[in-house]
Amino acid sequence: MSKPSIPQGTRDFNASTVQKRQFIFQTIRYVFETYGFQPLETPAMENVETLMGKYGEEGDKLIFKILNNGLDNPQKKASIQEGFDKVLAGKNSTAITERALRYDLTIPFARYVAMNHGQLTFPFKRYQIQPVWRADRPQKGRYREFYQCDADVVGSDSLLNEVDLIAVYIKAFEQLKLPVEIKINNRKILLGLAQVCGGEDKLIDLTIAIDKLDKIGWEKVKEELNNKGFNDAQQQLVERYLNISGTNTEKINALANLLGENENGKKGIEELNYVLSYHQSTGMDQHLVADFTLARGLNYYTGLIFEVKAIDAQMGSIGGGGRYNDLTSLFGVPNIPGVGISFGVDRIYDVMEEKNLFPTSVDHTTQVLFFNLGEAEAQVAYGQMMTLRAKKIACEMYPEKSKFDKQFKYAEKKGIPNIVIIGTEEVNKQECTIKNLATGKQINLPFKDLLTYPF
RNA sequence: GAGGGCGUAGCUCAGUAGGUUAGAGCGACAGUUUGUGGCACUGUAGGCCGUGGGUUCGAGACCCAUCGUUCUCCCCA
């Protein structure tokens, strides 16, 4: 028997970690609900075809697939063999696998909307807090099982949804006391640039190259553009695009100049302006940064896109989202536009832990430990303990009659602030000894006063 | 998918140029102290040195493979 272990990229969470994570979940859930979003849960596994082809070529490779049961059935040997050959050739085969673990929450949500659009009231606002799985190689801030907290609105074209979702981001991070900046761009602007640069078909090459700017620098980006067939004039245009800097307003003006009369460019800028100016009136625009290099991987985005970055932290994005025109048409139900955002709880946790941002109050533990001084005494103490529990004070009794030393140490390790001693003396006098472990002070109190004692 | 670092006690690590019985600190447990913790002292337990193979008279140290872990790239939360 080898040592027990858990799969790569997964984790166990101890008491204090769970409590801190709960703090993040509760904060985000509270904000979601305050903004009118209602909960949804979907299964951990989806049909393979629901997920495949939705996340790009790279994404498909990172989907965890579940092996079918009954592969050893001799009657199905031929079809399974055939399916296996397809898998070896890099294709998918339902004879081998027909289910997969969900990769994100947006696609399952789109599937849900497509399945239930008849019953839903639009605009439909839902939030979802559940784990997702990716067969990525684990590293800092990257896990194979992690939680996402998504909020989406479908069935509305209004930019007010974008405005509202940005407010959700800002308010949630404000409550978590985590300083962030929210980068905003518009896929329409990128599309406009691609058109000005010689064609929509270049959009993907262009965004991939642009996205790498802060990592590899302009020279390398230029090289890549060159390899992808962009001519000198086009490269110069991209360079001017990437060199745009200044305040949000300055950047937008420079961009408008650059893209000129391009329809998509104009529309993209208009939308961006709308959202930014709206938040000038709410006073939340200080967190917003127009960033034309922001591209985002998921190719279903069509409008404004967002990405959240923790300030002064070495961590990838801790949240992202954007508008998608027609996600449900992938499932046969066209014309349901939507916009959504996502929080990456595990990365938020890592950053907050690193910066020591968790309030000490998130550590809930037992408030009172009742000492166990023998069968008869423990029975009396148990009765007293139950009255405290009825008042919602967290209590426990040490289960063994052990030496004081041991019971004290238990309380100390667990961070229990108070102990109650009920021994033979106390039972005779119908009182208990209460000791505060931090101050070391102790008092005697009649049983009848225990209920009103301010633990 | 590509590349680097690291695997020695429950934890953090040491282990000198390969040399015989593998160490420390913290923690755990027990005692000094059978109704008062934190401190101190004393003692005890706990290791197929990740796994498999190889080189060598001799391997925790060197080589190969494998697994795990961590980081970077790709991509992403």
Side-chain angles (χ1 to χ4, degrees), chain A residues 263-282:
Chain A
E263 280 303 318
N264 282 305
K266 277 164 79 175
K267 185 86 179 109
I269 290 168
E270 189 189 309
E271 291 176 1
L272 191 59
N273 257 329
Y274 179 87
V275 169
L276 287 175
S277 64
Y278 212 107
H279 274 303
Q280 260 163 23
S281 66
T282 65

Side-chain angles (χ1 to χ4, degrees), chain A residues 9 12 33 37 112 139 156 173 211 218-219 231 239 266 325 374 399 420 424 438 452:
Chain A
D12 291 320
E33 291 186 349
F37 291 88
Y112 171 83
Q139 55 182 273
S156 166
F173 285 113
D211 201 33
W218 166 244
E219 285 306 317
N231 66 32
E239 186 173 12
K266 277 164 79 175
N325 257 349
V420 171
T424 25
T452 50

Side-chain angles (χ1 to χ4, degrees), chain A residues 1-68:
Chain A
M1 188 74 197
S2 56
K3 283 186 185 174
S5 64
I6 54 175
Q8 193 179 30
T10 65
R11 296 148 300 157
D12 291 320
F13 300 115
N14 64 22
S16 122
T17 309
V18 169
Q19 283 168 345
K20 290 174 191 163
R21 286 167 64 86
Q22 290 298 339
F23 171 69
I24 300 174
F25 288 132
Q26 280 159 15
T27 304
I28 294 172
R29 178 178 292 117
Y30 172 79
V31 176
F32 283 167
E33 291 186 349
T34 310
Y35 281 67
F37 291 88
Q38 293 199 300
L40 173 73
E41 292 190 11
T42 63
M45 61 182 105
E46 293 278 347
N47 293 328
V48 172
E49 62 267 28
T50 302
L51 304 183
M52 293 298 284
K54 310 301 193 295
Y55 308 106
E57 232 176 279
E58 290 294 321
D60 280 358
K61 288 186 201 158
L62 301 180
I63 294 171
F64 272 112
K65 296 173 193 90
I66 299 168
L67 205 57
N68 287 353

Side-chain angles (χ1 to χ4, degrees), chain A residues 312-332:
Chain A
D312 291 330
Q314 270 204 294
M315 180 62 75
S317 64
I318 55 176
R323 177 167 283 277
Y324 39 88
N325 257 349
D326 207 12
L327 209 45
T328 52
S329 69
L330 294 169
F331 302 108

Side-chain angles (χ1 to χ4, degrees), chain A residues 22 44 58 75 83 87 101 130 157 170 172 178 195 224 233 240 248 257 259 271 289 292 318-319 354 455:
Chain A
Q22 290 298 339
E58 290 294 321
Q75 291 181 341
V87 171
L101 294 177
Q130 287 190 281
D157 280 316
I170 291 171
L178 179 60
Q195 286 169 335
E224 191 160 328
R240 278 171 59 205
N248 286 342
N257 235 331
L259 295 182
E271 291 176 1
V289 180
F292 305 131
I318 55 176
E354 197 181 306
F455 281 109

Side-chain angles (χ1 to χ4, degrees), chain A residues 194-208:
Chain A
Q195 286 169 335
V196 173
C197 267
E200 274 182 48
D201 55 315
K202 292 213 162 94
L203 177 63
I204 292 180
D205 287 341
L206 188 66
T207 51
I208 290 174

Side-chain angles (χ1 to χ4, degrees), chain A residues 156-164 166 183-192 248 252 255-256 259 262-280 288-292 301-306 321-325 337-339:
Chain A
S156 166
D157 280 316
S158 167
L159 286 174
L160 197 54
N161 297 306
E162 273 87 337
V163 169
D164 221 18
I166 287 169
K183 297 195 241 180
I184 310 187
N185 194 13
N186 197 326
R187 275 278 162 95
K188 287 172 188 157
I189 292 173
L190 292 165
L191 181 60
N248 286 342
I252 289 173
L255 181 71
L259 295 182
N262 179 280
E263 280 303 318
N264 282 305
K266 277 164 79 175
K267 185 86 179 109
I269 290 168
E270 189 189 309
E271 291 176 1
L272 191 59
N273 257 329
Y274 179 87
V275 169
L276 287 175
S277 64
Y278 212 107
H279 274 303
Q280 260 163 23
L288 302 179
V289 180
D291 181 350
F292 305 131
Y301 290 124
T302 52
L304 284 166
I305 47 180
F306 324 109
R323 177 167 283 277
Y324 39 88
N325 257 349
V339 54

